[in-house]
């Protein structure tokens, strides 16, 4: 049994589907049964688990040969860092008590740093807490997800300005499609060859690094309009993040992350990492996001007259 936590997410959904195509039994772990409906359609067993509850995690991993673990940043929580650490502690407790043969943890570029990297320090904590688990352990460190830009695409399309915390605008940074991360995770879980080191550290990014200028140009070409990248001044970061609905603690985590990014600290740890490269280009990810947004807009517009008639 292959157990995939976060199976309804952008990465986990791809991993679960790839494992099912390979003929493996998959238990998709989700927060509620509604999230599991699509996964059940492809033959996954569905398990509902609370990552804050070690007993709930223990039930989800019962009988597992391999586990793919994801502890998401709880964006809506007043203290996301503390809450995510509690999730990690609960997951680690269950995995230490009943280690699967293979364990893959989804982590981040820069996770080797114990401090000074904001959100990424939480992935350092994840790796530290899982290191003692008696499994064939892999840390899959991914670059910044291309899909993260979806949060600011509506602003860019409405105003023709793409705000970014990446400085300077010409600086190239690593990024990757969630689909490529999910496919590689499944590939690594299926790799039965003995690992040369434990834990095994694998990194993944796209085949070309991009700058904010590249991101704005790609979006503009797809949307057929002028889009200009705007480096938000450092003293304006907090206000922008607060306006986006982030609390004080989450804001500090994001600001520390991008300070580290801009200082060059969020990158592949070349000395120990096996490097892999995804095949999906930024344009492909943006095209899919824009297509979904257009479909949602069309569905809403079509439904409105019917609703009004009632």
């Amino acid at each position: 049994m292959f157990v995939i936590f976060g199976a309804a997410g952008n990465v986990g959904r791809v991993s679960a589907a790839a494992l099912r195509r390979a003929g493996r039994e998959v238990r998709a772990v989700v927060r509620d049964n509604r999230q599991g409906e699509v996964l059940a359609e492809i033959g996954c067993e569905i398990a509902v688990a609370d990552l804050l509850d070690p007993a709930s995690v223990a039930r989800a991993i019962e009988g597992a040969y391999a586990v793919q673990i994801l502890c998401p940043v709880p964006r809506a929580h007043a203290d996301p860092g503390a809450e995510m650490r509690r999730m990690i502690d609960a997951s680690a407790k269950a995995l230490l008590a009943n280690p699967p043969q293979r364990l893959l943890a989804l982590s981040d570029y820069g996770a080797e740093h114990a401090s000074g990297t904001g959100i990424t320090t939480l992935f350092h904590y994840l790796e530290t807490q899982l290191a003692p688990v008696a499994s064939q352990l892999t840390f899959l460190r991914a670059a910044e997800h291309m899909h993260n830009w979806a949060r600011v695409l509506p602003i860019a399309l409405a105003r023709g300005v793409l705000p970014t915390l990446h400085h300077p605008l010409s600086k190239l940074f690593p990024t990757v499609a969630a689909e490529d991360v999910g496919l590689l995770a499944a590939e690594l879980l299926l790799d039965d060859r003995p690992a040369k080191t434990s834990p095994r550290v694998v990194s993944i990014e796209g085949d070309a690094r991009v700058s904010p200028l590249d991101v704005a140009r790609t979006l503009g070409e797809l949307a057929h309009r002028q889009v200009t990248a705007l480096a938000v001044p450092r003293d304006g970061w907090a206000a922008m993040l607060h306006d986006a609905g982030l609390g004080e603690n989450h804001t500090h985590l994001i600001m520390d992350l991008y300070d580290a990014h801009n200082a060059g600290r969020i990158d592949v740890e070349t000395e120990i990492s096996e490097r892999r490269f995804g095949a999906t280009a930024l344009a492909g990810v943006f095209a899919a996001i824009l297509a979904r947004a257009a479909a949602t807009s069309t569905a809403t517009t079509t439904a409105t007259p019917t609703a009004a008639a009632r």
Side-chain angles (χ1 to χ4, degrees):
M1 178 67 72
F2 288 72
V3 177
I4 308 298
F5 283 83
N10 293 323
V11 173
R13 184 173 61 251
V14 173
S15 296
L19 290 167
R20 287 296 299 139
R21 288 194 299 271
R24 301 304 197 272
E25 293 184 345
V26 175
R27 181 178 299 146
V29 184
V30 294
R31 290 194 303 272
D32 57 64
N33 283 313
R34 180 185 55 80
Q35 287 187 324
E37 292 173 358
V38 174
L39 293 154
E41 290 176 1
I42 64 171
C44 294
E45 175 187 322
I46 306 302
V48 176
D50 177 0
L51 287 179
L52 291 168
D53 178 8
S56 179
V57 177
R59 287 192 295 272
I61 66 172
E62 188 174 340
Y65 162 73
V67 172
Q68 179 171 309
I69 190 74
L70 165 69
C71 287
V73 179
R75 305 179 191 282
H77 197 273
D79 191 346
E83 188 78 343
M84 185 168 163
R85 286 187 179 90
R86 285 192 285 271
M87 289 183 189
I88 292 168
D89 289 342
S91 299
K93 181 177 180 180
L95 289 162
L96 282 163
N98 184 21
Q101 187 168 326
R102 307 179 67 82
L103 173 60
L104 182 144
L106 296 168
S107 188
D108 262 13
Y109 272 28
E112 69 273 17
H113 300 299
S115 62
T117 59
I119 284 175
T120 301
T121 60
L122 300 173
F123 291 94
H124 176 84
Y125 185 73
L126 171 70
E127 293 189 6
T128 301
Q129 297 306 106
L130 293 182
V133 177
S135 300
Q136 187 168 324
L137 177 59
T138 300
F139 295 134
L140 177 53
R141 294 180 183 169
E144 179 179 309
H145 284 201
M146 296 173 182
H147 195 273
N148 290 351
W149 289 96
R151 300 165 195 160
V152 295
L153 291 194
I155 297 173
L157 294 175
R159 304 177 186 174
V161 175
L162 181 75
T164 179
L165 306 187
H166 282 288
H167 293 185
L169 292 177
S170 59
K171 184 177 183 291
L172 299 175
F173 62 93
T175 187
V176 69
E179 178 181 1
D180 290 336
V181 179
L183 289 172
L184 177 57
E187 176 188 324
L188 293 171
L189 286 174
L190 291 168
D191 183 0
D192 290 328
R193 293 173 298 177
K196 295 179 181 178
T197 60
S198 186
R200 180 183 185 185
V201 179
V202 182
S203 69
I204 182 170
E205 62 182 85
D207 62 359
R209 295 193 170 195
V210 299
S211 71
L213 296 174
D214 297 324
V215 175
R217 182 177 63 254
T218 300
L219 178 59
E221 289 172 353
L222 291 168
H224 305 293
R225 66 158 301 168
Q226 180 69 34
V227 177
T228 302
L230 171 66
V232 179
R234 177 64 174 74
D235 59 7
W237 289 6
M240 187 192 80
L241 294 169
H242 289 153
D243 288 346
L246 274 64
E248 196 66 29
N249 289 309
H250 198 175
T251 292
H252 282 303
L253 287 173
I254 295 289
M255 291 175 65
D256 288 348
L257 170 64
Y258 279 92
D259 279 337
H261 246 305
N262 296 336
R265 298 187 69 210
I266 305 297
D267 211 325
V268 61
E269 190 179 13
T270 55
E271 296 81 4
I272 67 168
S273 181
E274 300 174 35
R275 300 194 68 182
R276 304 292 183 90
F277 297 90
T280 307
L282 186 67
V285 172
F286 280 9
I289 293 171
L290 293 174
R292 284 194 295 271
T296 300
S297 176
T298 300
T300 301
T301 302
T302 303
T304 300
T306 304
R310 293 175 184 169

